[in-house]
Amino acid sequence: MVPFSLRAVLLGALIAGALVIPQARRAAAQGIAADAPMQISWEVRNRFRLFREERDFQLHVEAMRNRSILSAEDVLEVQSDGRGWARNMVNRLCIDNQGRVSEPCNRDNVKESYLTPIDHAITVRLTGAVPVGATCAWSFDDGDGPQQSTFDCAEPVNLRVRYGKQTVATVDVTSGPDTPQRISTEIQVRDILIAGLGDSIASGEGNPDRPIALSDEGFCFRYYLGTAAAQYYRPSRAGYKGGRACEAPDSLQNWQRYAAVWLNAACHRSLYSYQTRTALALAVDYPHIAVTYLPLACTGATIADGLFGSQRARECPPNKSATTCQVGVNGQLSELKDALAAARRRQPDRKLDLVLLSIGANDIYFSGLVADVIVDTVTERTLFRRSGVMATVDESRDALTRDLPQGFRKLRDALKPLLGGDLSHVVYTAYANPALYQGGAPCPGGRAGFDIHPSFSADPQRLANVTAYVDREFLPQLKALATCQSGILCRDPASDRMSFVDAHQPAFADHGFCARGANDPEFDRQCFSPEGKSFDPDIVNSASQPMLCGRSAAEYRPYLPRARWIRDANDSYFAAMTYPQGLPSSMQPSDIHDATWGVLSAVYGGAVHPSAEGHAAMADAVLPAAAAVLQLDAAVPDVMSEPASPIAPTPQQR
């Protein structure tokens, strides 16, 4: 494990110039000097309110101490042995896996309203040059009469302070014959409401909170238009004891019991998404705030179908018995409006403080471009072209110039009233080009990373064309749309400009899906062939041992540091193995061995999407922009204290 730990440190050092540790985190790490004047310090406990249990928040506080989000992710990946820090937390949240907010939510054994808290748990300490053995008489007054208690000054005080009200904290410090001293400060928690909107990049696609467990035995897929002999085997789901051979089908319900677990399966929402990591990092960095985070992004979303209108679910929730998924996902904007309306019925002054947004890739058929690049065999290309799964650069360019500007105008009009007319509180995060490595050179293509399916091979010329189109046309147009520049007309540019983030793009130029490194996990280096020969083609041998390297597929770890920050198709299958129930009926697999499922198991689980490291790097870029929009550094100083003159001695002390 030492190489991975070393790599985590090295990665942190390499990106230090671009991913700066925020001032609040540096100050918190340094603490208050022991010889500094006495003062009252306080912080909100478990202040990322999505987490029900403080231990989950504290794990991130410790990991991010004096580290960037990316460096912290690498540390957590090593600590979890690559299994992922979210695998247990996903069942301890204030939002369930159907996307429903728990009202109330039992957080640290206290029932709280998630969207409209009435109070917050805080810890108060006396810091600085505190005399040993001193006694502290504390008083906390929010206008309804003081709460008083006396402790040894070395002991912290835990209490709950009311939302929206200022609490005056006063402490009288007594130490032996010395004259008592009174110190006071004002405490008021700022609860920030953040919504995450957008598509698969926003939702965290490719990074299930609890990844699939793999079996050493093979699972059979059929080829398209093939005979019974036209079959191939890939690793199965661990625990699955049903029909693994193509001639022995089994129920989808049985297969689903062993699926990956997501924060929300229908949308492939993940705690690893850059939006969640940004909201969490704000809570870590600023001890005087609480963050109420509402994740709404959904993989596959477009502006029309996903933000405004409903969309199909990516997967049915586990244990559904139907062979097709009829579950729809409500439009994200209507979900957000409903949540705000419900909150304002209880707290009329409750407002939306920040929107994190990434959208547009599906509007210009980006997944179709990916399919056009990686699906290489004639039969599959013909079928995918007829079903509308594939798209060309010319088709994408038409949508980019014709449809996307209109969609952005409509989106502005919808978001503005939710944010008090100021779209600077929308932090739009651009995509990173997934096919760059070695200083921005395009990936060379080929089977490496895509040999999970026999029809996959990244065609070099199509790949180069798409890479150039994304860099030179798509990404610049997105920036212009978000910021009202380069000929994009906005009704009121001063209030219509979104806050735009693309500082992560240079870092991704070395970490595309083809990037390989000497410190990649040993399993990857031994078992994922750079020649695209990772799996045994012999139908007999592969039924019991699909990997040519001879190692157990169960040794794969989706959450270990890698040179690539983009999931390839092999990663996608090994981490998520998605059964595509949410597709239109024309693309639905007929059974669990169907050829359609064989192709889409890799693609629809997150191929060509950022890994957890990639999302952490994105969050590092977004964090300072979000803090600036919220004016956290200006509005919430690290320490607020108000030393008072020494109080007069009592008669007993004279």
Side-chain angles (χ1 to χ4, degrees):
M1 303 308 295
V2 174
F4 300 126
S5 299
L6 176 61
R7 183 168 183 267
V9 175
L10 291 175
L11 277 171
L14 287 172
I15 62 171
L19 306 178
V20 179
I21 300 169
Q23 179 180 355
R25 196 180 308 159
R26 289 198 300 269
Q30 293 166 359
I32 305 298
D35 58 351
M38 285 190 295
Q39 55 192 346
I40 296 172
S41 298
W42 62 276
E43 66 177 2
V44 183
R45 300 181 61 182
N46 194 11
R47 50 191 177 269
F48 187 59
R49 300 187 62 250
L50 183 64
F51 289 166
R52 292 202 321 246
E53 298 186 12
E54 189 169 17
R55 58 175 169 160
D56 294 333
F57 178 67
Q58 287 301 322
L59 178 72
H60 288 276
V61 170
E62 293 303 317
M64 292 176 63
R65 197 176 300 279
N66 216 25
R67 295 188 182 100
S68 69
I69 303 171
L70 174 58
S71 295
E73 175 60 32
D74 283 338
V75 168
L76 290 170
E77 289 187 353
V78 174
Q79 286 180 359
S80 70
D81 187 32
R83 301 173 192 273
W85 52 263
R87 67 192 187 281
N88 296 320
M89 291 185 195
V90 70
N91 291 327
R92 300 195 292 260
L93 304 175
C94 285
I95 297 176
D96 67 18
N97 62 9
Q98 306 297 309
R100 296 178 299 232
V101 174
S102 300
E103 290 285 9
C105 183
N106 195 330
R107 301 184 70 244
D108 299 312
N109 298 316
V110 176
K111 289 184 178 180
E112 298 180 10
S113 170
Y114 184 67
L115 293 176
T116 52
I118 61 172
D119 56 17
H120 293 88
I122 68 168
T123 296
V124 183
R125 293 179 174 86
L126 186 64
T127 57
V130 181
V132 176
T135 299
C136 282
W138 291 94
S139 175
F140 301 95
D141 192 349
D142 62 6
D144 291 339
Q147 304 176 51
Q148 297 177 327
S149 55
T150 301
F151 299 97
D152 186 298
C153 289
E155 295 294 322
V157 180
N158 295 318
L159 72 153
R160 301 187 73 88
V161 295
R162 292 172 63 182
Y163 168 83
K165 294 199 69 173
Q166 181 175 279
T167 297
V168 177
T170 304
V171 61
D172 293 338
V173 184
T174 303
S175 178
D178 295 341
T179 302
Q181 185 174 2
R182 173 169 291 172
I183 303 168
S184 65
T185 192
E186 296 172 350
I187 296 172
Q188 186 163 350
V189 177
R190 180 182 174 191
D191 193 291
I192 294 172
L193 179 58
I194 301 174
L197 303 178
D199 55 23
S200 55
I201 300 300
S203 72
E205 175 68 276
N207 301 282
D209 299 274
R210 187 180 303 148
I212 200 80
L214 296 169
S215 169
D216 299 340
E217 298 176 309
F219 180 85
C220 180
F221 295 103
R222 300 186 186 94
Y223 286 105
Y224 275 107
L225 306 179
T227 64
Q231 304 170 355
Y232 65 96
Y233 280 82
R234 293 295 180 261
S236 182
R237 293 180 175 182
Y240 175 70
K241 301 301 182 184
R244 291 188 297 273
C246 284
E247 297 81 10
D250 197 0
S251 71
L252 177 58
Q253 185 178 17
N254 189 20
W255 178 257
Q256 276 189 313
R257 292 193 183 103
Y258 309 98
V261 176
W262 299 84
L263 167 59
N264 179 274
C267 286
H268 279 193
R269 288 183 201 135
S270 168
L271 290 173
Y272 294 103
S273 79
Y274 86 82
Q275 294 187 343
T276 305
R277 298 304 300 272
T278 299
L280 173 56
L282 287 169
V284 169
D285 283 354
Y286 296 93
H288 294 166
I289 69 171
V291 173
T292 302
Y293 171 60
L294 193 60
L296 296 171
C298 196
T299 189
T302 65
I303 293 175
D305 300 320
L307 291 189
F308 283 98
S310 62
Q311 65 175 99
R312 296 184 67 96
R314 179 52 50 97
E315 283 189 90
C316 279
N319 299 320
K320 289 282 184 179
S321 60
T323 56
T324 58
C325 183
Q326 302 300 327
V327 177
V329 179
N330 292 333
Q332 296 169 43
L333 290 172
S334 64
E335 288 282 305
L336 178 56
K337 290 175 183 176
D338 289 347
L340 289 174
R344 287 167 180 162
R345 282 194 293 270
R346 295 189 292 266
Q347 288 179 354
D349 62 343
R350 189 60 155 154
K351 65 184 180 70
L352 179 63
D353 296 286
L354 187 72
V355 169
L356 301 174
L357 174 68
S358 292
I359 196 71
N362 294 320
D363 298 74
I364 57 97
Y365 319 133
F366 188 79
S367 62
L369 295 176
V370 172
D372 188 43
V373 168
I374 70 172
V375 178
D376 203 48
T377 53
V378 174
T379 300
E380 282 80 354
R381 288 186 64 80
T382 301
L383 291 171
F384 275 27
R385 169 61 68 182
R386 288 175 179 172
S387 61
V389 171
M390 284 185 173
T392 65
V393 168
D394 286 340
E395 290 168 336
S396 177
R397 185 180 289 118
D398 286 345
L400 179 64
T401 57
R402 181 187 66 244
D403 301 330
L404 198 57
Q406 296 177 12
F408 258 81
R409 282 195 292 271
K410 186 178 178 183
L411 181 57
R412 278 195 181 88
D413 291 342
L415 287 173
K416 241 184 165 180
L418 302 181
L419 291 160
D422 183 5
L423 288 185
S424 69
H425 283 250
V426 177
V427 178
Y428 183 94
T429 304
Y431 305 93
N433 195 324
L436 301 177
Y437 81 125
Q438 293 183 352
C443 287
R447 293 267 292 156
F450 292 89
D451 54 340
I452 191 68
H453 193 277
S455 71
F456 288 167
S457 182
D459 178 85
Q461 188 56 57
R462 293 195 297 266
L463 178 59
N465 292 343
V466 169
T467 302
Y469 164 68
V470 169
D471 253 3
R472 298 170 190 171
E473 299 181 53
F474 176 50
L475 296 179
Q477 177 73 343
L478 276 182
K479 183 172 185 177
L481 289 167
T483 58
C484 302
Q485 295 176 352
S486 302
I488 300 299
L489 299 178
C490 296
R491 291 188 180 91
D492 181 6
S495 62
D496 284 357
R497 291 190 186 100
M498 301 175 183
S499 298
F500 185 81
V501 173
D502 62 359
H504 53 288
Q505 290 177 343
F508 271 84
D510 291 312
H511 298 284
F513 65 73
C514 62
R516 301 290 185 270
N519 290 318
D520 282 354
E522 186 177 312
F523 179 91
D524 291 29
R525 289 184 281 114
Q526 292 188 6
C527 295
F528 289 150
S529 164
E531 290 80 35
K533 299 178 180 179
S534 305
F535 305 98
D536 195 331
D538 185 277
I539 195 170
V540 176
N541 294 335
S542 58
S544 57
Q545 175 49 274
M547 306 296 300
L548 274 174
C549 66
R551 296 184 62 161
S552 166
E555 296 178 52
Y556 174 79
R557 296 290 182 267
Y559 297 111
L560 280 178
R562 290 174 168 84
R564 62 184 181 277
W565 292 352
I566 301 293
R567 299 287 193 200
D568 58 30
N570 293 0
D571 290 328
S572 173
Y573 179 91
F574 274 59
M577 205 186 296
T578 300
Y579 190 90
Q581 293 169 279
L583 291 175
S585 58
S586 61
M587 293 297 296
Q588 276 291 331
S590 60
D591 62 51
I592 61 174
H593 301 286
D594 188 89
T596 302
W597 149 224
V599 175
L600 299 177
S601 60
V603 175
Y604 277 74
V608 199
H609 285 76
S611 66
E613 286 182 281
H615 278 282
M618 293 175 71
D620 272 314
V622 177
L623 181 60
V629 166
L630 296 168
Q631 298 183 313
L632 291 177
D633 292 306
V636 187
D638 288 335
V639 176
M640 295 192 299
S641 63
E642 186 180 311
S645 301
I647 60 175
T650 65
Q652 292 82 359
Q653 292 170 326
R654 290 193 178 103

